[in-house]
Amino acid sequence: MWAFDGCISLTEITIPDSVTSIGWYAFDECISLTKITIPDSVTSIGGRAFDGCISLTEITIPDSVTSIESTFEGCTSLTEITIPNSVTSIGYYTFSDCTRLTKITIPDSVTSIGDCSFWGCTSLTEITLPDSVTYIGYKAFLDTPWLKIKQAENPLVIVNHI
């Protein structure tokens, strides 16, 4: 936990294959971090691991990770993310306030999307939700253009019978 918290000069990091877990707040507020390479040996990424990494533009989560929770909150430069088929749940606040994220494809493996997961993603216009999603949490898509478009079509937005 808090391994590199607040390292404002850190711009790039490659995590070695010997690492299996990234702890809570590991790279919190590393405001200059633009690139991180996560190996397949990592099976869990703790909450708020990349919270406030405002320079991070893209990240690939390895196939070994099964859930992400409040991991990328406030990553305002994040434009692209690849969620692997191994992920079964997107936890609360995972991508909230990722204001430059424009598109997200959620894989068929995901069954739940937590509260406020994409809240404040003010550029998010395209979301692909698989039929496998059976739970969408409170305010999961609040303040996204995608939700506003759906609400303009019909004030009662139903996604996957939810």
Side-chain angles (χ1 to χ4, degrees), residues 35-101:
K35 182 179 179 188
I36 185 158
T37 303
I38 303 172
D40 287 334
S41 59
V42 172
T43 58
S44 68
I45 300 173
R48 306 222 190 289
F50 300 98
D51 185 22
C53 292
I54 60 173
S55 297
L56 190 62
T57 57
E58 69 177 83
I59 190 164
T60 300
I61 301 167
D63 290 333
S64 49
V65 174
T66 58
S67 69
I68 47 179
E69 186 170 310
S70 65
T71 311
F72 303 101
E73 184 177 0
C75 291
T76 56
S77 295
L78 189 64
T79 58
E80 183 179 322
I81 187 129
T82 301
I83 300 174
N85 288 327
S86 57
V87 172
T88 58
S89 68
I90 297 172
Y92 66 98
Y93 291 96
T94 300
F95 298 102
S96 67
D97 293 321
C98 290
T99 55
R100 291 195 185 142
L101 188 63

Side-chain angles (χ1 to χ4, degrees), residues 93 114-120 136-144 147:
Y93 291 96
D115 296 349
C116 307
S117 293
F118 296 94
W119 181 8
I136 297 175
Y138 178 69
K139 297 183 179 181
F141 300 103
L142 186 67
D143 294 334
T144 65
L147 181 60

Side-chain angles (χ1 to χ4, degrees), residues 16-47:
D17 290 338
S18 58
V19 174
T20 59
S21 178
I22 298 172
W24 278 72
Y25 297 95
F27 298 94
D28 179 55
E29 300 297 328
C30 290
I31 59 172
S32 300
L33 184 64
T34 58
K35 182 179 179 188
I36 185 158
T37 303
I38 303 172
D40 287 334
S41 59
V42 172
T43 58
S44 68
I45 300 173

